[in-house]
Amino acid sequence: MADESSRMIEPVILLGPPGAGKGTQAKRIAQRYNIPQISTGDILRQNVKAGTPLGRAAKEVMERGQLVPDELVCPMVADRIRDVDCQRGFILDGFPRTAAQAGWLDAYLENEFFDNSHGCNRLPIVIRLEVDYNELLRRLTGRRSCPTCGRIYNVHLQPPKVDECCDIDGSKLVIRDDDREEVILERLREFDSQTRPVAEYYQAKGRLKTVNGDLPPDEVTGQIFWIIDNHGDNHG
Ligand code: AP5
């Protein structure tokens, strides 16, 4: 098999509700295949923090747990995947999140991205993480993250070695603004109404792979690596 950290990889799309483990798994995929994790949530949060026009437009919507309009998110993704570090492949974490975003992405990849010699034309690998509703609540209320390196912890399930401190760099862990219970419930409602149709969109095209995200993180990772390693037979 070709070296996983240097071969061409089809774009990887991680679908799943808030708390499904998209960010956790995206970081592991990024490390193994040496491709960037593109988290639309992280990019939006950075814009909010920096007070950019995009961040100002997104702030209140995000605080309510609702989705930022497609017309703001799609150009943001287009900008990011044009960067040179995406030429060998990239992971989309949190995108697409509406049927309109999924349709836009297919058209963009086919007509502009791959057409402009970003590697060969390959359909994305779409992986859905399925997790029980009560488990999602437990994960989101216990989540902590490192503001320095981005590593994700969970006070119930994956605690750091020292309370509230990052194992890697010792930074004090933080709670995300939208991990308050009433906002979590709204994010889960948004997922049901807006993002479930995205899985149906890919299912109808025969491109959806589902992984049991209730399993421990290492087992979920093993299944995801298997799907990526066995996707198609041309490893470039
Ligand atoms: P975003 O940042 O994308 O958040 P999300 O989709 O709500 O997902 P999360 O980051 O909460 O969960 P995750 O699946 O990454 O789980 P994690 O790995 O952290 O979006 C935030 C907001 O931005 C949206 O509400 C919206 O406003 C806006 N936005 C973003 N993208 C948009 C788009 N495309 N269009 C419009 N608006 C957009 O894990 C969760 C916890 O569980 C952690 O504590 C972790 O340690 C633990 N855990 C993970 N896996 C396991 C496991 N297998 N077993 C046990 N514990 C586990």
Side-chain angles (χ1 to χ4, degrees), residues 44-168:
L44 289 166
R45 280 185 287 278
Q46 284 156 14
N47 276 276
V48 169
K49 200 169 166 195
T52 65
L54 171 61
R56 287 200 297 277
K59 186 170 186 290
E60 281 182 23
V61 183
M62 292 177 76
E63 280 171 355
R64 288 198 298 271
Q66 293 169 347
L67 295 185
V68 176
D70 296 339
E71 55 273 24
L72 295 179
V73 177
C74 294
M76 179 185 96
V77 170
D79 267 2
R80 179 62 187 90
I81 65 181
R82 274 195 294 262
D83 284 349
V84 69
D85 65 335
C86 293
Q87 287 191 0
R88 266 190 48 252
F90 52 87
I91 307 149
L92 290 173
D93 159 10
F95 187 94
R97 227 167 168 116
T98 62
Q101 290 180 12
W104 172 87
L105 180 66
D106 267 350
Y108 181 76
L109 290 178
E110 187 179 343
N111 302 328
E112 294 189 47
F113 187 75
F114 289 120
D115 233 32
N116 286 312
S117 79
H118 285 80
C120 46
N121 188 352
R122 291 171 171 203
L123 290 175
I125 305 171
V126 186
I127 302 172
R128 168 174 61 181
L129 299 176
E130 274 194 332
V131 178
D132 171 77
Y133 187 86
N134 289 326
E135 173 71 8
L136 294 174
L137 290 180
R138 197 158 75 109
R139 288 186 186 181
L140 291 168
T141 51
R143 174 167 52 192
R144 304 287 184 276
S145 56
C146 173
T148 309
C149 71
R151 179 157 173 187
I152 302 166
Y153 297 87
N154 194 289
V155 293
H156 313 302
L157 306 156
Q158 299 157 338
K161 290 181 187 130
V162 176
D163 245 13
E164 303 294 335
C165 291
C166 179
D167 293 349
I168 297 169

Side-chain angles (χ1 to χ4, degrees), residues 19 22-24 40 66 94 97 143 153 158 176 187 215:
K22 303 181 298 294
T24 301
T40 43
Q66 293 169 347
R97 227 167 168 116
R143 174 167 52 192
Y153 297 87
Q158 299 157 338
R176 243 167 67 173
R187 286 162 58 205
L215 295 171

